[in-house]
Structure formats: C-alpha cells, structure tokens
Amino acid sequence: MSNIKTIIFDLGGVLVDWNPEYVYRKIFDNDEQKMKWFLTEICPYRWNEPQDAGKLCQVATAEKVAEFPQYKEWIEAYYGRWEEMLGGPLHQTVEILKTLKENQEYQLLALTNWSAETFPTAQKHFDFLGWFDGVVVSGEEKTRKPFDDFYQILFDRYSVTPSEAVFIDDNKANVEAGQRLGLNAINFRDAEQLKKELAAFGVNL
C-alpha cells in the first residue's frame, strides 16, 4: 500500500506553457538570433525571479529601462504583453490532474514561482487552477523555490508530511530542494514519464 496522501504540482512548464519567446518572436519578426540575444543579455530568465518573489513588475521594469534606455520599448513589453507569453495548457498533464481530482484520493496542491501581479491573469485563462485544494504563490509569500522557507509555508498551511507527498517540478534545482526536505519528487519531462513515476510511488491514476 502506498503512503502517499498529497500530490504537489509546479505550474509553469508542468501544467501551463509559459514562454517569453512567444512575445519576442513577434517583436523581432521571427529573428531567432535577435530574440535569443535579448532574452539572454537584456531580460534573461533570472531577471524574472525577483518578481516571482514579490518585487513589483513596474519597479523591475523601470530599473531595467534605466540600465538599457535604448531598449525601453522591448523591455516594457515583457510585463506589458505578459499575457501573450501564455501558450496554453499542457493538456496531457492537465488530464492527469483531472483524473487525480476525480479519484478524490489525494490532497492536491500547487507550489508555484509566479508573480502575484500576473497570477490572476493565469487564473482567468485556466479553469484547472481552481481544481487544487490549495495553491501557494511565491509572489504572494515574498519567497520562492528553491528556498526552504517557501516549501515550509506549504507544509505548514496544508499539514503536509513530506514523506507522504509527491512533488512534481520541471526544474531540477527545485526538485532537489524538495528532496532535501524529505519530499518524494519527480523531475517532470512529459506526461508519460510522469504517469510512470507516479505509479512507482504507488499513486493511483
């Protein structure tokens, strides 16, 4: 018999397709090299991390524009056109979540690195974000994965025993942090791999 009582999902990259390239491919007329340059040198992924931990997007944008005033319009598009970065649901994983919800065997939680300012937009787009028994959003808590305190907020708020939970995330560093805290963890790659690894933990689908 499995002792798993809780399943914890990351959102971006697991259930939601989010990618700044969707906006900047339009801005740069499908010039892949220019887009990659901008998202590596000017607004790299790590620039988004403080906003995920509660920094205001307007403040971050103003700072970046002050650093690179010649790219003002492109920088302002990052949060100004953020909604266009939502590519849609990752349908096969959403189906797994739906099955787990219908089975009613497990507490279903989400632990997500997401700006508190942009998360409501995602909620409007994706009904399945309302299927969880609880969602912990980094921007609301002013911390994020892979920091221990963010996981601990979820553990405390929803009475999670790490050894009785499975954590699913597409970021290896986040998975390893969860494992250090005692979680059973899956480094998500695709839905088929997820099904197999959930089954290995004794999760019924």
Side-chain angles (χ1 to χ4, degrees):
M1 292 290 291
S2 171
N3 70 332
I4 300 300
K5 296 178 181 176
T6 301
I7 301 175
I8 306 161
F9 282 83
D10 173 37
L11 297 179
V14 175
L15 289 161
V16 175
D17 176 17
W18 174 84
N19 196 328
E21 291 185 5
Y22 294 140
V23 168
Y24 287 98
R25 194 167 278 118
K26 297 175 190 175
I27 288 172
F28 297 129
D29 295 323
N30 292 313
D31 185 331
E32 293 288 318
Q33 187 174 354
K34 195 169 185 178
M35 178 190 70
K36 296 288 188 186
W37 161 79
F38 184 81
L39 293 175
T40 301
E41 302 298 330
I42 308 302
C43 292
Y45 181 78
R46 66 181 178 276
W47 178 62
N48 188 56
E49 291 177 346
Q51 288 74 270
D52 280 350
K55 186 172 184 176
L56 293 176
C57 298
Q58 184 178 358
V59 171
T61 299
E63 290 174 354
K64 184 64 73 170
V65 168
E67 186 180 359
F68 298 105
Q70 68 272 40
Y71 305 134
K72 180 178 186 290
E73 185 178 347
W74 297 344
I75 293 166
E76 289 178 344
Y78 197 98
Y79 292 109
R81 296 176 62 177
W82 183 89
E83 193 165 0
E84 295 173 53
M85 297 179 183
L86 293 171
L90 297 174
H91 294 286
Q92 290 180 308
T93 322
V94 174
E95 281 302 309
I96 293 172
L97 175 64
K98 183 180 180 183
T99 299
L100 291 167
K101 181 71 174 174
E102 289 172 348
N103 288 352
Q104 297 184 335
E105 282 188 61
Y106 307 100
Q107 177 178 222
L108 299 176
L109 303 174
L111 186 70
T112 183
N113 283 359
W114 210 304
S115 164
E117 295 177 84
T118 58
F119 190 65
T121 300
Q123 289 177 302
K124 285 191 295 183
H125 277 268
F126 307 118
D127 291 345
F128 59 81
L129 295 180
W131 296 355
F132 291 100
D133 299 304
V135 180
V136 181
V137 179
S138 60
E140 295 173 359
E141 307 300 337
K142 305 296 191 289
T143 183
R144 61 177 176 83
K145 295 175 284 189
F147 300 122
D148 291 1
D149 61 341
F150 188 45
Y151 297 78
Q152 196 62 50
I153 289 167
L154 179 132
F155 297 161
D156 294 343
R157 188 170 297 166
Y158 297 104
S159 302
V160 174
T161 301
S163 62
E164 296 177 348
V166 177
F167 171 54
I168 304 155
D169 199 297
D170 65 323
N171 183 303
K172 188 178 180 183
N174 297 342
V175 168
E176 290 173 347
Q179 289 171 327
R180 287 195 300 273
L181 294 171
L183 286 167
N184 304 288
I186 296 171
N187 193 178
F188 177 83
R189 295 188 300 276
D190 59 56
E192 288 306 310
Q193 167 251 352
L194 177 58
K195 286 180 184 177
K196 290 175 184 175
E197 296 205 33
L198 283 173
F201 284 121
V203 173
N204 294 318
L205 284 171

